[in-house]
Amino acid sequence: MIRIAYHPIYAHPLPEGHRFPMLKYELIPGQLLHEGMITEKNLFTPSVCDHETILLTHDKEYLDKLLHQTLTASEQRKIGFPQSPELTERELIITQGTIDCCSYAFEYGVALNVAGGTHHAFADRGEGFCLLNDMAVAANYLLAQQKVKKILIIDLDVHQGNGTAKLFENNNSVFTFSMHGAHNYPFHKEQSDLDLPLKDGTTGTEYLSLLKETLPHLIKTVQPDFAFYLSGVDILETDKFGKLKVTLDECRQRDEFVFQTLRTNNIPVTVAMGGGYSPDVRTIVEAHCNTFRLAATLY
């Protein structure tokens, strides 16, 4: 049985014309329920993450800015969202959703958060539509609770997980792997434990070949006992910002390979959706839904 973190607050209202496709967060579970791939029993509603857990990863001064609405105009521009109490609550709930998914992943092998994958958030700041780094918080929580010894973060969003890389640069218990566009945001890259920068126009065949060469070897070398998978769908050829040439089916094949590889190696995984900016929101939703369909089928 797969468990899926979802809360109505995920679909946060934004100013008209905003480029972030917030609507996808209500369309994804709606589509999966409609087609019978999941039922209401698969969904769970996370609560607000407690501040003590957030502070395992983020600075108190930064958390206070989020809680008291004191981000500067410049800080809000870098994040890309106007601040509000509701937005901060949303981020705390998304983060708790990813933490909760970890418990379900230990039980069922996999669990997924409809939102999350906010990998551009640093300890002291947010950027790129990311306020709190949910996977980093969850990873630090697992380590603090001594539930795991070695974590692998598989970041296949088209944008480098710069915040995640920086947060764990001196932590030998977390291995960060980012496969991303070389000439895409963020334009200043941090150093992950393994970065695979892709040239503009990389095809799905090239993409899948590189992933299949890398991931099994990485698992053998790192020997993680838990994984986080950021399954961004901004690798699609239809994406406004992706610059790659990956088809919808090749994106599905990517997810299938990651799941099969982790399952074969008995590594539980928590999945978050990450980015996707195709002009037609239906394309984004279909690509994300494929991730859930595969998890439901393979586990």
Side-chain angles (χ1 to χ4, degrees):
M1 179 179 182
I2 63 167
R3 299 306 306 273
I4 299 167
Y6 172 70
H7 192 293
I9 203 172
Y10 285 7
H12 179 73
L14 290 173
E16 188 173 349
H18 197 286
R19 64 179 179 167
F20 189 84
M22 196 67 78
L23 180 63
K24 72 178 184 178
Y25 295 120
E26 62 183 65
L27 294 179
I28 292 167
Q31 176 61 31
L32 294 168
L33 288 166
H34 172 73
E35 64 191 42
M37 180 56 64
I38 65 170
T39 69
E40 293 287 351
K41 291 182 179 179
N42 295 105
L43 299 171
F44 70 90
T45 305
S47 60
V48 172
C49 187
D50 67 84
H51 299 172
E52 182 181 351
T53 300
I54 297 294
L55 293 175
L56 293 172
T57 300
H58 291 283
D59 295 349
K60 186 178 187 304
E61 182 181 358
Y62 175 54
L63 178 59
D64 285 344
K65 286 183 178 181
L66 295 178
L67 294 173
H68 302 300
Q69 310 302 298
T70 55
L71 292 170
T72 65
S74 174
E75 288 169 330
Q76 290 181 68
R77 281 195 299 273
K78 288 178 181 176
I79 290 170
F81 297 141
Q83 67 184 338
S84 69
E86 293 77 20
L87 181 66
T88 297
E89 184 182 12
R90 173 185 186 267
E91 300 305 309
L92 291 168
I93 289 173
I94 288 172
T95 301
Q96 187 61 46
T98 297
I99 293 171
D100 291 345
C101 279
C102 296
S103 297
Y104 288 121
F106 283 121
E107 185 174 358
Y108 298 111
V110 66
L112 306 93
N113 197 341
V114 171
T118 43
H119 58 168
H120 299 311
F122 290 75
D124 62 347
R125 68 188 188 276
E127 59 181 53
F129 305 137
C130 301
L131 282 79
L132 298 172
N133 195 314
D134 64 304
M135 287 188 166
V137 173
N140 281 324
Y141 173 81
L142 291 180
L143 292 168
Q145 296 292 315
Q146 299 184 328
K147 294 181 181 292
V148 297
K149 293 182 179 179
K150 188 76 174 187
I151 293 169
L152 173 63
I153 297 181
I154 304 165
D155 189 335
L156 300 187
D157 193 274
V158 82
H159 305 107
Q160 193 217 29
N162 55 338
T164 308
K166 186 67 175 177
L167 283 164
F168 293 116
E169 63 179 352
N170 298 313
N171 189 333
N172 293 329
S173 297
V174 180
F175 190 101
T176 54
F177 164 43
S178 182
M179 186 166 156
H180 53 264
H183 305 294
N184 213 317
Y185 178 91
F187 300 107
H188 170 73
K189 307 288 194 293
E190 300 293 340
Q191 187 171 339
S192 309
D193 291 305
L194 177 61
D195 284 303
L196 292 182
L198 306 170
K199 67 181 185 297
D200 292 356
T202 295
T203 66
T205 300
E206 295 170 317
Y207 185 100
L208 290 169
S209 177
L210 183 59
L211 180 62
K212 289 177 180 179
E213 287 174 14
T214 304
L215 186 57
H217 175 71
L218 200 55
I219 288 173
K220 186 177 180 180
T221 304
V222 176
Q223 295 189 315
D225 45 15
F226 197 88
F228 290 91
Y229 174 37
L230 206 171
S231 58
V233 302
D234 40 15
I235 66 168
L236 291 175
E237 60 188 351
T238 53
D239 197 89
K240 291 182 285 187
F241 311 120
K243 302 182 182 180
L244 304 184
K245 300 294 182 183
V246 180
T247 68
L248 189 62
D249 185 63
E250 288 164 339
C251 186
R252 184 196 61 78
Q253 291 178 52
R254 175 201 68 176
D255 291 345
E256 184 174 29
F257 178 73
V258 172
F259 284 141
Q260 287 179 335
T261 303
L262 292 172
R263 190 164 183 260
T264 298
N265 287 277
N266 296 312
I267 301 168
V269 58
T270 286
V271 188
M273 294 303 104
Y277 306 94
S278 296
D280 189 341
V281 71
R282 290 173 296 184
T283 304
I284 301 171
V285 171
E286 179 64 13
H288 281 314
C289 283
N290 277 337
T291 309
F292 289 89
R293 293 176 187 125
L294 284 163
T297 303
L298 294 173
Y299 288 84

